[in-house]
Structure formats: C-alpha cells, structure tokens
Amino acid sequence: MLRNGATRSLTRSFLKSPSVSSRYTSTISLLQAHPQASTLASQFRRPSSLAINLCSPTGTALQRYASTHPGTPFDHIDKKHEKDVAKTEIEPHPEDVSTLSSVRQVMHEEGVEDKERDVDMLAGVKADLKTIKETFSMDEVPRQALVLGMAGVLPYLATSISTVYLAWDINHAAITGSGFLLSGQTAELLLHIIEPLQIGYGAVILSFLGAIHWGLEFAKYGGKHGYPRYAIGVVAPAIAWPTTLLPVEYALIAQFLAFNYLYFADARATRRGWAPHWYTTYRFALTFIVGASIVISLIGRGQIADKINRLPGPADRLKALRDSQMESLETEEKERRAKLVSQEEGEDAE
C-alpha cells in the first residue's frame, strides 16, 4: 500500500472529492433500483463492520489503519465457528439435483425461472410458414371464381395422370408381354386419343386467360388502358393455337412456357392496378397445377418414347396433303402430255 505522507494526502483528497462521492451515491441508487443487481452485489458484500462510508474521515482512517497494520481484528478468523460449521451435516436432496442445479446464475436472479430457456427453437420456422400461408392465402378470392378455376384445371390434371398410367401399362406390357389392366395396343391407342385432348384443352385455357384482360378493359377496371391491355388478350391465343400443329412433346413444352409468360403478365397487370389484388395469388395456384401436369405428362411420355408409334399430327397431315397435291398435279400433267402426244400421232397418220 501507499505509505508516504504525500501519497496518502493525495488519496484522501481524491476520496473526499465531490465527483467520487456523487458516483458512489449513484451506484448505491442503481443497486437499490434493480433487485437482481442488488442480490448479485450482496453475494460479494463485506462484513457489516466495514459497511462505513469510505468518503468520510473515519472511513479513510480505518482504511489507512487496516492497510498499515497486519493482523487487525478485521482479518481475524473465528476458528470455533469454523469448527461448528464443519461438523454440520448437509442434508441430501437428490430430487433437487439436475444438470442446472450446480450452475450459479450470474445474470439472473437466484430461484427465478429463466424465461429465455423456454424459447421455442422452431419459432423462426413457424414464422416463415405463417408468412408463406398468408402470402398464398386465397381467403380474398371470390368463392365462385375459386371453385370454377379449380374445376377448370381438373381435366388437364386428369389427362396427365392418365398419360402416366398408360405409359406404365405400356412398359408393363413390353416387359411381361401383357398389360396390367389394358393390353399394350389398347393403352397406346388411348394414349394417342389423350394427346390431342390435352394440347387442345391447353390452347383453350390460354385463350381464356388472355380474354380476361379484354373483359377487364371493357369494365374499365383500373381505368382505360387501350392497346397495352388488349395486346395481352391477342398474344395469348396467337401463342396457344399454333402449338396444336407441333409434335406432342414440343407442344407441351411450348404451352408450359406460354402459361408461365401469362402468369408474369398477369402479375405485372395486378401490380399496376389493372386486375384485382388477389388475382396474382389465384393465378399462381392455377398455373402451378397446370405446370405440374405438363411436367408429369412429359415424364410419362419420356418413359415410352421408344415403345410407341407416333401418330401423324396436324403438321404431318399438312405435309401429306401437300405431297398428295403434288402427285395429283404430276399425274394430270402426264395425262395432258399423253393426250397431246396421241393427238399429234393421229394428225400425222392422216
């Protein structure tokens, strides 16, 4: 400790300064205002005999005396009391022993339950699921539109499931020699009947989705926008119906892209206020079902690409018509030339 007179005078003047006294008073007030901090401080509290205001002259003198005279009564150990404490038996309580019973709380009150331990670890996941549920909620969609819209995608979904089953039956017939419910030839015939139905129905749905924007423009929903909104209704059938001339796989892929294009066009129109605010969520649900159906159909057809014969499509029929017309023209030309030759030979004979 500091033993010379000058340093002790400096320490005494520091302890008597108003700033130190005010900080000491504010610390005591803070401990009284916060029970947890007060309890924590009480665990390290000095004996009551030293609970003296250190800023007073008496406190300063006692502090100086205790630092310069070792073996003071303040450091005396009551050995008799220590022996009595050592003889005291601690009663066991096994039911109170747990993984946390030997842990001393530092930042919490003793005997008070820590609420942070009860925090739900899945709270973040539940919040994300709640956000997704609220985002794709269809509570605001009119019931009639929701029912009819879901009913409208059922034929598309049915044709996709039928395609998968027929493809499985064709594979089963190719492996075992006979189909499960249908023969290989019957399953292939039914598959060729389903193909134009699915593609034609997809073209109808695409045209209908484009026509909705014409109806919104007629009703002046969100104001009059003229050609920009009419263009959506024109582009939709212009993309949809040419797909009926393509081979099945290419037609399904083209319609998949067309459905996604129209969804983004509808989402943009909704953001601009051209359509009701619930229309984007409604269209997302329908587009998801139709897109999944197209993917299912493509997967099913991919399993039997080398096991079935491809029926002639519209493009093949057009090509066959063109070839037949060329053949008929060539035949007519040959007959005309033969007739001219016969006429010339008759004239020469005369």
Side-chain angles (χ1 to χ4, degrees), residues 233-248:
V234 172
V235 171
I239 296 175
W241 288 103
T243 60
T244 59
L245 303 177
L246 301 175
V248 179

Side-chain angles (χ1 to χ4, degrees), residues 163-178:
T163 300
V164 172
Y165 171 73
L166 293 174
W168 178 82
D169 222 348
I170 293 172
N171 274 327
H172 189 274
I175 295 173
T176 63
S178 62

Side-chain angles (χ1 to χ4, degrees), residues 12-315:
R12 187 182 304 111
S13 61
F14 174 77
L15 292 174
K16 290 182 179 181
S17 64
S19 60
V20 174
S21 179
S22 61
R23 284 196 297 270
Y24 178 79
T25 304
S26 62
T27 303
I28 295 299
S29 302
L30 179 62
L31 292 175
Q32 292 176 354
H34 296 78
Q36 292 183 357
S38 178
T39 304
L40 181 63
S42 64
Q43 297 174 6
F44 305 95
R45 189 175 295 165
R46 296 175 63 88
S48 59
S49 59
L50 293 180
I52 304 174
N53 187 358
L54 298 179
C55 296
S56 63
T58 304
T60 304
L62 289 175
Q63 184 182 24
R64 184 168 59 253
Y65 179 79
S67 62
T68 56
H69 294 76
T72 59
F74 303 108
D75 297 330
H76 176 69
I77 299 177
D78 191 350
K79 295 183 178 181
K80 181 179 179 181
H81 178 69
E82 292 291 337
K83 290 180 180 181
D84 294 339
V85 172
K87 294 178 181 180
T88 304
E89 294 184 0
I90 301 176
E91 297 181 2
H93 297 282
E95 66 278 3
D96 295 337
V97 178
S98 65
T99 56
L100 299 177
S101 60
S102 60
V103 179
R104 187 170 187 82
Q105 301 294 334
V106 177
M107 302 303 295
H108 304 281
E109 184 73 15
E110 287 290 341
V112 178
E113 184 180 0
D114 186 6
K115 296 182 179 180
E116 292 185 0
R117 294 175 187 164
D118 298 332
V119 174
D120 188 0
M121 300 301 295
L122 297 177
V125 177
K126 292 180 179 178
D128 294 339
L129 293 176
K130 183 179 179 181
T131 302
I132 295 173
K133 182 179 179 181
E134 292 176 352
T135 301
F136 298 103
S137 175
M138 294 191 181
D139 296 337
E140 299 182 0
V141 179
R143 181 174 178 80
Q144 296 85 353
L146 180 60
V147 172
L148 294 176
M150 291 300 176
V153 298
L154 288 180
Y156 216 100
L157 185 61
T159 54
S160 297
I161 296 175
S162 300
T163 300
V164 172
Y165 171 73
L166 293 174
W168 178 82
D169 222 348
I170 293 172
N171 274 327
H172 189 274
I175 295 173
T176 63
S178 62
F180 183 73
L181 293 178
L182 304 171
S183 63
Q185 294 80 3
T186 304
E188 183 176 350
L189 178 61
L190 291 176
L191 182 63
H192 291 315
I193 294 175
I194 289 176
E195 291 171 356
L197 291 178
Q198 185 175 18
I199 296 173
Y201 190 72
V204 171
I205 294 178
L206 288 169
S207 302
F208 176 78
L209 293 176
I212 290 176
H213 292 276
W214 280 54
L216 294 173
E217 181 65 22
F218 291 160
K220 299 180 181 180
Y221 188 93
K224 296 180 63 176
H225 302 283
Y227 289 113
R229 186 145 63 174
Y230 283 130
I232 301 175
V234 172
V235 171
I239 296 175
W241 288 103
T243 60
T244 59
L245 303 177
L246 301 175
V248 179
E249 292 80 4
Y250 296 106
L252 291 174
I253 295 173
Q255 288 189 2
F256 179 83
L257 297 176
F259 276 112
N260 283 277
Y261 161 75
L262 279 180
Y263 167 71
F264 286 111
D266 291 340
R268 186 178 181 183
T270 304
R271 187 172 61 254
R272 291 180 174 181
W274 296 3
H277 62 279
W278 49 263
Y279 190 60
T280 301
T281 306
Y282 177 66
R283 282 282 290 108
F284 175 82
L286 300 181
T287 303
F288 178 82
I289 297 174
V290 173
S293 301
I294 294 176
V295 172
I296 292 172
S297 296
L298 290 172
I299 293 174
R301 293 190 58 83
Q303 302 300 319
I304 56 172
D306 56 342
K307 297 182 178 66
I308 60 174
N309 298 319
R310 189 174 67 87
L311 289 180

